[in-house]
Amino acid sequence: MSRASRLLELIQVLRRHRAPITGPALAEELGISIRTLYRDIATLQAQGADIRGEPGVGYVLQPGFTLPPLMFSADELEALVLGSRWVAVRGDARLGAAARNAVAKIRAVLPGDLRESVDAATLTVPMFRGEPVAIDVSVIRAAIRAEHKLVITYRDNDGAGTTRTIWPLLIGFFDKVLVLAAWCELRQDYRAFRVDRIQSVEPRDERYPRRRAVLVGEWRVRQNIPATAGN
């Protein structure tokens, strides 16, 4: 087992144990010497892992530690890079820039062999653009995160325009269009809005009265979407 794999396994073991676990028990589970264990714990602590404890007492990992990208396997990196490149092509300007920045940050901390796998681009995304969007989609994304209402002007399939107050829930990315799922106060029901038909969007500094997670659950039931599907 490589050192990187061993450190990853140590983190996973600590995550499984909410109560402190002794050094000898950790060493036995990992199949390493107690001396190697102490060195590995010191290494992880130096990398920012909040591991509390000491020899003879036991160790526990506090919540919040995320693994550095160098811990990713080649397949995991390909999945992350492919997803980021897809977002860079299909997302709005801010989301696309964030995706490119994420790939650059991952690449910057990788060892040479894994950095080459990122640069090789064995998987790619077609440079395809969908229907043009007139609004800043990041405004919708911010409202979804904050669970705030939006006022939109919307053009339907026949070209007729309406002004609506909605509770934005999810944005679906399809081949040619983005679709916003929301509760519509005008219709008093869940509705799907093609984002390219939204003519204007105005955020309201007002939370909608029910939690987004509950509303999304109801929407999934209406759409016959399993609860385990992507959020």
Side-chain angles (χ1 to χ4, degrees):
M1 179 185 296
S2 68
R3 183 166 182 268
S5 297
R6 193 176 70 239
L7 293 174
L8 173 59
E9 183 62 21
L10 174 55
I11 286 291
Q12 299 294 65
V13 171
L14 286 169
R15 280 178 170 162
R16 288 199 299 268
H17 293 274
R18 296 188 177 183
I21 178 173
T22 65
L26 275 172
E28 181 179 358
E29 187 166 347
L30 293 166
I32 59 177
S33 69
I34 192 70
R35 187 174 180 179
T36 298
L37 174 73
Y38 292 153
R39 284 202 306 265
D40 288 350
I41 287 176
T43 298
L44 289 171
Q45 288 173 330
Q47 292 181 356
D50 189 2
I51 300 175
R52 307 284 179 86
E54 58 187 36
V57 176
Y59 297 91
V60 63
L61 176 66
Q62 300 298 309
F65 178 66
T66 55
L67 297 174
L70 61 87
M71 295 290 193
F72 294 146
S73 69
D75 286 342
E76 289 168 340
L77 283 171
E78 282 196 341
L80 289 170
V81 172
L82 179 65
S84 296
R85 286 174 175 158
W86 190 94
V87 171
V89 172
R90 303 294 179 91
D92 58 81
R94 289 186 61 178
L95 198 60
R100 288 186 290 271
N101 288 341
V103 172
K105 287 179 178 179
I106 291 172
R107 186 187 181 282
V109 297
L110 291 175
D113 57 337
L114 290 180
R115 190 180 306 120
E116 289 178 3
S117 72
V118 172
D119 295 339
T122 57
L123 303 174
T124 189
V125 175
M127 295 301 292
F128 172 82
R129 297 288 180 182
E131 295 295 328
V133 173
I135 62 166
D136 183 356
V137 183
S138 67
V139 174
I140 299 177
R141 292 191 289 107
I144 291 173
R145 288 194 296 267
E147 300 185 358
H148 279 191
K149 296 183 180 183
L150 290 173
V151 177
I152 64 171
T153 55
Y154 188 71
R155 175 177 51 83
D156 65 19
N157 192 44
D158 297 324
T162 55
T163 299
R164 311 190 186 205
T165 298
I166 63 172
W167 310 350
L169 303 176
L170 298 166
I171 298 176
F173 284 70
F174 294 86
D175 284 342
K176 293 184 178 181
V177 298
L178 304 181
V179 176
L180 170 64
W183 174 268
C184 177
E185 291 189 356
L186 177 66
R187 303 302 185 197
Q188 285 295 295
D189 201 355
Y190 294 102
R191 287 290 185 268
F193 300 94
R194 279 183 45 166
V195 174
D196 59 296
R197 292 180 179 168
I198 299 177
Q199 305 300 295
S200 67
V201 58
E202 179 185 345
R204 294 273 300 275
D205 189 19
E206 178 185 358
R207 290 179 66 101
Y208 35 82
R210 301 172 63 199
R211 295 308 307 269
R212 175 180 171 272
V214 175
L215 295 167
V216 169
E218 289 182 355
W219 174 81
R220 288 188 189 281
V221 170
R222 298 277 190 93
Q223 302 297 316
N224 293 317
I225 298 175
T228 55
N231 292 325

